[in-house]
Structures are given as structure tokens and as C-alpha cells.
Amino acid sequence: MSWGTELWDQFDNLEKHTQWGIEVLEKYIKFVKERTEIEINYAKQLRNLSKKYQTKKNSKEEEESKYTSCKAFQATLNEMNDYAGQHEVISENMASQITAELTRFVQEVKQERKQHFHEGRKAQQHIETCWKQLEASKRRFERDCKEAERAQQYFEKMDADINVTKADVEKARQQAQIRHQMADDSKGDYSSVLQKFNREQHEHYFTHIPGIFQKLQDMEEKKIGRMGESLKTYADIDRQVVPIIGKCLDGITKSAESISEKQDSQMVIESFKSGFEPPGDIDFEDFTQSMKRTVSDTSLTKADCKSDPKVPSKSRNKLWPFIKKNKGSTPEDFSNLPPEQRRKKLQQKVDELNKDIQKEIDQRDALTKMRDVYMKNPQMGDPASVGQKLVEIGNNIEKLRVEVHKFEGWLAEVEGRLPARNDSSRRQSGLYDTQNTQTVNNCAQDRESPDGSYTEDNSQEPEVKVTPTEFDDDFDDEEPLPTIGTCKAIYPFDGENEGTISVTEGEILSVIEEDKGDGWTRIRRKEEEEGYVPTSYIEVYLDRNTKGAMTYI
């Protein structure tokens, strides 16, 4: 069916319909454009959301990200970032494949429609002009016929009147003949114009208008088909990203399935395990016995509290590792941590140093090869320019190896204590410290550890037993502790805090009390000065007749 034959008289309606079709297409373009804006904003919001909850570097969250649940959450955030990228792809493809293409197509359709309707109006104007010519010729023919008839009637009237002269009759006859001639001429002209109009009208309604309407129909069908293709493209653009979005969702599912409750529980143990054994039973203290008390190396007395901090005392108590931390820097050997956590930190430090050493070695090897190349081909470079750098790298490697040796020594010390041992002198946690005597509590308050890292907390004081053997007045007469071995200082120690003693590197001293698990060893210098030093700063050689030869490094 053709518009040209079926709608030959619907020029105005076709003009309105084609304009409406273009408006529909423009409305669809606007819809797609708004959809692209929604997609790009949605992608941006998803990316910002993912970035907001990403683990921040050098923060507590980064330490917690080792748990499988945290890793799964981070994997989900990464997948959501990729998911957002697919929405950006949707926006870009719709903008390029639909919005831009259809906008250009609409402009072409508008131009084509304008041209077709211009030709149609021109054809209508031509047929209207022909119609006006026909009407004018017809009116002229009608007027001439009426004039000829009136002239004929006037002639007949004059001819019948006997009073009219012959001249007047002749004049009336000639006038009638002239009118008849004019009528005949008008008739011929009207006939010619009519035939011409009929031909023009036939061409107008059967040739020109059908051709123009057919072009309009083709244009409209092309526009409708293009919109259908765009709708299909609209769906295809979404469908193309579905597999990738599906992979993103599969990744989220996979990360969720990777969560291991048992593994996270084990990580909690590894993160917070102290390495200490639970406290043992508390001995019964019988206050009905005599007031004599024997002072052991683990006792605290009133005399200790009142003694001059510069005068060493064999009964000075060693500090418990689980004490309230002072605000300040962490000790280099991590002695402020429980054994298990200290071992982990030391092992981590050793691994980091070994990596640094390997980097330096790789750099040294590369520079060595470069120097060899320069020596074989002097035009490529000066070998001496590499030598200084090799010396610096060599010094760095030596420094790092010294650090590794130091930390490995501390690590060996910790690992030597971590296995379960039935050491009667092992320190216990301060779980039952509140049961100590008031004398011990008052003495322990406001004391610092030898390295100044901790202060005593009443709720976490070490368990101290006070055995009633002698009166307090007899403490000043106690015999010095016997020497149980010797030690050599491998690092200098200032000993600025109460209860500590300063040593210099290489100095030989006497050991009077070995490390009880808190990282401190009690030593004596020339029977005159006593105090504590970090066990990791000395090499200890115990006498074989005491506890066997042992060395702490």
C-alpha cells in the first residue's frame, strides 16, 4: 500500500504525522542520553563507595586484612570496582552507538522531510494556478455568451420595430455578430485551458503527489527501522556486559566461599598468643608461724623499698613483662611484648632485613657486571664511577648483616624459651596480684622497668611470695648472692633507670641471677655494684656445677 495512491488528499495530515515521528525519535534520543548519565553517575558512586571502604595503608585495618573474612570483603570491593567499570562501558557505548548516531540521523531526516514537503507545496501551488486560470477562462466564456445573447435579443427587437431606421437595425446586427464572435473565441480559449488543466491535474494527482508521498513514506519507514535497530543496539549493549558482570558476581561468590572460620580463629591465636603458661596454684601462707622470713631472689621487702637506688640489693624484684606501657618508642628488641608476639616481630624483622640484604646483593651484582663491561669497553663508561657505589653497597650489606645477627640472637633467645618448660621460676601473669600483701603493693607502685618502657600496674604486678622467716630488721644483714656464672657484654647499655647497671661493650661481669623469662639478667661488678641488664645485650656462661653451661645471645 502506497501513501501516494491511498493518501493523495492528506497532505496536511502527512505533514503532521512525519513531524510527530521525528519528535518520537528525539524523545528516544533524550531517554538514552539520560540513561547514559545515570550509568556514569552510578559507576562513579560505586567506585567512590568501593574506595571508601578499601583498607588504608599503614593502618590498623591493614593488619586486620589478613583474616579470610576481611580478604573476602576486600575482594568484593575490587569486584564492585570492576562492576562499576562495566556500567561505564554501557554509558560510553550508548553515547557513541545510539545518541550520537541517532542525533545525526535525525538531522538528515529533518532536511529530507523539508525538501519533500517543499516540492509538494510547489506542486500544489502549480495546480492551484492552473485552476485559477481555468476559472477565469470559464467566467470569461460565460460572460461573452451572455453578452452575445443580449446583443442577439436587442437585434431582434430592433429588427421587429418599424419605427427604427434601417441604419440602427444594421448597427444592432453587427453588434450581435461581434458578440457571437467573442463568445466563440471565449469558448475556444476555455476549451483549451480546460484540457490543459485536466492534464496538469492528472499529472499532479497521479504522478507528482504520489512520487512525493512515496519519498515521504520511504523516509518514515527508514526512520522507524532505524529506531528499531537502535532499540536492538540498546539491548545488545546491556547484554554484552552481562558475562563480565556475571564474572564479577562469581568472584564475589568465590571470595565468600573462601572464608574459613577455623582459619580466622587460628589467626586470632597466632596474633594474640603470649607464650606464657597459665599461673600455677598459690601457696598457702601460714601467718601463725614465727615472723622469721627468708628472703629469696624473688621476694620484695620493706627494706628493698626504702633502700638507696644506687646501692644494689640482692632482693630487688625483677619486673614483670605484662605491665602497663608508658607512652614512648618501642624497644628495639620488642622486649615489651609477650614471648610469642615478640618472636613474631623478631622473625618479621629478620625477614625484612634479609630482603633488604638480597636487594643490595642484586644491586651489587648488577653494578659488578656494569663495571666489567666498562673495563672491557672503556668507551661505554668509566669503571671508577661504579667503584664508589660498590663500596657503599658493601658497607650497607655489612651493616644489614650485623643487624640480622643481632635480631637473630634475640630470636634464638625467645625461641629457646617458647617451648613448654617446667621452670619453677617461670614468671606468671598478674592474675592473682591483688592477693599480695599491702607491703608489696606499696613498694611496687610507680616503678619503671630498667628500659623505662613500663610502669607497674596494681592489677598486673607479679606474684611475689613473702615467706615469714626473719624480721624486717634483719634484711640489712643479708649475705650477697653467690656468683652462678660470668657474662660478656656484646652491646653497651646505659642503665639509667632504677635497678639497672650500665655496662660497656666487651666488659666481663659476674652473673648472680639468671633470666627468669622477663628478658633481664642480674649481674655484679667487682663485688661492689649490682643491677639488671637486658639478657639480649650479653653472652651468659653459667657454671656447670650450678645449672650446666648455657649461653644466651
Side-chain angles (χ1 to χ4, degrees):
M1 299 179 69
S2 173
W3 287 5
T5 57
E6 303 295 334
L7 303 175
W8 60 271
D9 57 344
Q10 299 298 321
F11 186 90
D12 294 338
N13 286 332
L14 286 180
E15 186 177 15
K16 294 178 181 178
H17 176 76
T18 52
Q19 178 62 32
W20 170 82
I22 292 175
E23 292 174 355
V24 170
L25 190 57
E26 289 178 335
K27 185 184 295 185
Y28 172 66
I29 294 173
K30 186 177 179 182
F31 160 76
V32 176
K33 186 177 181 180
E34 292 183 2
R35 165 75 189 278
T36 58
E37 293 174 355
I38 291 173
E39 290 292 343
I40 199 69
N41 290 333
Y42 179 54
K44 183 179 180 180
Q45 291 177 359
L46 280 180
R47 286 191 184 279
N48 291 339
L49 182 65
S50 177
K51 182 179 179 180
K52 178 181 178 181
Y53 287 95
Q54 286 284 355
T55 299
K56 297 178 178 61
K57 293 183 178 180
N58 301 324
S59 65
K60 183 179 180 181
E61 294 179 358
E62 189 174 15
E63 297 179 1
E64 296 173 349
S65 62
K66 63 184 177 180
Y67 296 101
T68 59
S69 56
C70 294
K71 289 180 178 179
F73 180 51
Q74 292 301 314
T76 299
L77 295 178
N78 294 334
E79 294 294 346
M80 290 307 298
N81 199 44
D82 296 340
Y83 185 90
Q86 297 310 305
H87 285 278
E88 291 176 347
V89 171
I90 291 175
S91 178
E92 293 172 359
N93 290 341
M94 286 187 174
S96 60
Q97 299 180 25
I98 297 179
T99 305
E101 292 292 331
L102 283 185
T103 301
R104 184 167 52 253
F105 176 74
V106 165
Q107 296 301 323
E108 295 174 357
V109 169
K110 286 182 176 180
Q111 188 64 28
E112 182 180 357
R113 175 182 176 276
K114 181 179 179 181
Q115 181 180 355
H116 293 328
F117 279 102
H118 176 71
E119 293 176 358
R121 290 191 183 91
K122 187 176 179 180
Q124 282 188 332
Q125 291 175 358
H126 177 69
I127 197 66
E128 288 176 359
T129 301
C130 293
W131 171 257
K132 289 179 180 179
Q133 292 176 355
L134 176 62
E135 286 294 320
S137 176
K138 180 182 177 181
R139 286 194 299 270
R140 187 168 57 252
F141 171 58
E142 182 182 6
R143 185 182 66 248
D144 290 344
C145 288
K146 290 180 178 180
E147 290 293 334
E149 185 179 356
R150 282 197 298 268
Q152 181 66 30
Q153 291 177 356
Y154 180 73
F155 166 70
E156 291 178 354
K157 181 180 179 181
M158 292 294 290
D159 187 46
D161 190 356
I162 59 176
N163 295 321
V164 177
T165 63
K166 186 177 180 180
D168 291 335
V169 173
E170 184 62 25
K171 184 179 179 181
R173 184 181 63 78
Q174 290 178 357
Q175 188 68 28
Q177 288 179 350
I178 293 172
R179 293 297 181 182
H180 278 290
Q181 185 62 41
M182 290 177 63
D184 290 339
D185 292 341
S186 297
K187 180 180 180 181
D189 184 55
Y190 172 65
S191 176
S192 175
V193 172
L194 179 59
Q195 291 177 5
K196 180 182 178 182
F197 175 78
N198 288 334
R199 288 195 305 269
E200 294 291 341
Q201 182 175 255
H202 186 275
E203 289 181 1
H204 177 78
Y205 289 111
F206 291 94
T207 302
H208 296 312
I209 291 299
I212 294 172
F213 283 8
Q214 185 61 45
K215 292 178 182 178
L216 289 172
Q217 182 178 355
D218 295 340
M219 179 198 73
E220 187 70 11
E221 290 176 354
K222 180 180 178 182
K223 177 180 65 64
I224 295 172
R226 189 62 176 271
M227 185 171 180
E229 293 175 0
S230 298
L231 289 171
K232 183 179 179 182
T233 303
Y234 179 87
D236 290 340
I237 290 174
D238 267 329
R239 189 177 291 109
Q240 287 170 1
V241 301
V242 167
I244 303 177
I245 291 178
K247 290 182 180 179
C248 294
L249 299 178
D250 291 341
I252 295 175
T253 302
K254 185 177 180 181
S255 62
E257 293 173 351
S258 67
I259 295 177
S260 173
E261 300 86 347
K262 298 297 182 182
Q263 184 176 346
D264 283 2
S265 297
Q266 183 61 32
M267 286 183 180
V268 174
I269 296 175
E270 294 176 359
S271 298
F272 302 109
K273 182 180 179 181
S274 66
F276 291 110
E277 293 181 356
D281 295 338
I282 299 177
D283 295 338
F284 177 76
E285 298 183 38
D286 191 356
F287 294 101
T288 61
Q289 301 296 325
S290 63
M291 296 302 296
K292 284 187 177 183
R293 294 184 295 178
T294 301
V295 180
S296 64
D297 58 349
T298 59
S299 299
L300 281 176
T301 65
K302 194 176 300 183
D304 290 42
C305 299
K306 297 179 181 179
S307 63
D308 189 347
K310 296 183 180 180
V311 179
S313 174
K314 67 180 180 179
S315 59
R316 186 181 301 278
N317 182 46
K318 294 196 296 183
L319 301 180
W320 179 246
F322 290 135
I323 320 175
K324 189 174 182 180
K325 183 185 294 185
N326 279 338
K327 293 183 179 179
S329 59
T330 303
E332 185 182 14
D333 61 352
F334 305 107
S335 57
N336 59 321
L337 299 176
E340 181 66 24
Q341 302 304 316
R342 184 186 180 197
R343 181 191 66 79
K344 287 185 179 181
K345 288 290 185 180
L346 291 173
Q347 184 63 56
Q348 182 180 356
K349 187 67 176 180
V350 169
D351 294 340
E352 292 175 358
L353 291 172
N354 286 330
K355 288 180 181 179
D356 293 339
I357 291 174
Q358 187 59 43
K359 289 181 181 178
E360 296 289 340
I361 291 175
D362 293 341
Q363 188 176 2
R364 182 188 64 184
D365 294 343
L367 291 175
T368 302
K369 292 180 181 179
M370 185 183 296
R371 185 184 61 182
D372 295 341
V373 172
Y374 288 170
M375 293 178 66
K376 294 179 181 178
N377 302 288
Q379 67 276 11
M380 297 183 66
D382 184 11
S385 62
V386 184
Q388 183 62 30
K389 186 65 176 178
L390 285 173
V391 173
E392 293 178 3
I393 292 176
N395 293 335
N396 292 338
I397 292 175
E398 289 301 321
K399 291 179 182 179
L400 290 172
R401 282 176 175 168
V402 171
E403 289 292 311
V404 169
H405 179 73
K406 179 173 64 174
F407 280 95
E408 284 180 344
W410 289 333
L411 182 61
E413 172 193 345
V414 174
E415 290 179 342
R417 292 201 197 102
L418 280 180
R421 300 184 300 171
N422 295 324
D423 188 357
S424 60
S425 62
R426 178 182 298 276
R427 301 281 177 161
Q428 298 178 349
S429 65
L431 184 63
Y432 304 103
D433 291 342
T434 54
Q435 300 180 14
N436 291 337
T437 63
Q438 184 65 33
T439 301
V440 175
N441 285 335
N442 293 336
C443 178
Q445 288 178 351
D446 298 329
R447 291 181 59 186
E448 294 183 350
S449 62
D451 65 351
S453 300
Y454 295 93
T455 57
E456 288 279 351
D457 189 351
N458 289 340
S459 63
Q460 291 182 319
E461 292 178 352
E463 179 183 2
V464 180
K465 299 177 182 179
V466 181
T467 305
T469 55
E470 294 181 357
F471 293 100
D472 294 340
D473 296 338
D474 297 339
F475 275 81
D476 295 333
D477 299 331
E478 291 174 348
E479 294 295 330
L481 291 175
T483 300
I484 62 175
T486 60
C487 69
K488 178 182 179 181
I490 58 178
Y491 303 108
F493 179 69
D494 293 337
E496 297 177 351
N497 295 313
E498 179 184 359
T500 62
I501 182 173
S502 61
V503 296
T504 59
E505 184 177 355
E507 184 178 3
I508 305 299
L509 304 104
S510 300
V511 178
I512 59 177
E513 183 179 331
E514 64 175 315
D515 190 347
K516 300 300 183 180
D518 57 359
W520 297 90
T521 300
R522 190 173 181 182
I523 62 174
R524 178 187 297 136
R525 179 186 288 116
K526 297 181 181 180
E527 303 295 335
E528 297 176 356
E529 187 178 0
E530 296 179 2
Y532 292 99
V533 295
T535 306
S536 56
Y537 280 54
I538 59 176
E539 290 182 354
V540 180
Y541 306 95
L542 299 179
D543 294 340
R544 294 183 179 277
N545 57 358
T546 58
K547 291 191 178 182
M550 297 182 65
T551 302
Y552 296 94
I553 298 177

